[in-house]
């Protein structure tokens, strides 16, 4: 397993809810609450666990991810919606 070097200062973590971690593998949004989806607890029914390295990580389903990206409205999110919709369509066709 490859570890990512990072430093978390306790004061910003305590004051914040959502963070973007910049890694060599790309940006990682860590969210305690998502626009259009609410809190972590509210999103649990629309999520599933998947293994990443030696960890079990929870992800929202593809339909909810598309909804959340549209609700967030950030350019980086809006740019991905067409790609995610194409993946969703391909999955539905089986």
């Amino acid at each position: 397993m490859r570890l990512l070097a990072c430093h978390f200062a306790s004061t910003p973590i305590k004051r914040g809810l959502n963070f973007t971690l910049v890694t060599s593998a790309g940006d990682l949004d860590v969210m305690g609450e998502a626009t259009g989806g609410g809190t972590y607890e509210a999103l649990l029914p629309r999520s599933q666990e998947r293994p990443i390295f030696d960890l079990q990580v929870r992800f929202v389903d593809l339909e909810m991810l598309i909804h959340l990206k549209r609700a967030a409205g950030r350019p980086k999110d809006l740019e991905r919606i067409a790609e995610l919709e194409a993946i969703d369509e391909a999955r539905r066709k089986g």
Side-chain angles (χ1 to χ4, degrees):
M1 174 171 76
R2 184 171 171 234
L3 297 177
L4 300 175
C6 61
H7 172 74
F8 288 104
S10 62
T11 301
I13 296 298
K14 288 178 183 176
R15 291 183 183 162
L17 188 59
N18 299 334
F19 301 91
T20 298
L21 306 178
V22 178
T23 76
S24 60
D27 292 354
L28 173 65
D29 291 329
V30 179
M31 306 181 86
E33 186 170 297
T35 301
T39 64
Y40 175 86
E41 290 78 14
L43 289 168
L44 278 174
R46 297 295 305 270
S47 69
Q48 55 188 266
E49 283 189 354
R50 300 285 177 138
I52 302 291
F53 300 107
D54 293 331
L55 301 171
Q56 287 293 321
V57 179
R58 189 164 287 279
F59 297 90
V60 294
D61 63 47
L62 186 55
E63 184 179 332
M64 178 55 74
L65 180 60
I66 293 167
H67 170 79
L68 294 173
K69 287 192 171 292
R70 192 169 278 120
R74 300 177 299 183
K76 72 178 188 175
D77 293 314
L78 297 175
E79 291 170 5
R80 295 286 180 240
I81 290 173
E83 179 182 355
L84 293 171
E85 288 175 334
I87 292 168
D88 190 37
E89 184 177 331
R91 284 185 177 178
R92 290 175 195 263
K93 289 181 179 179

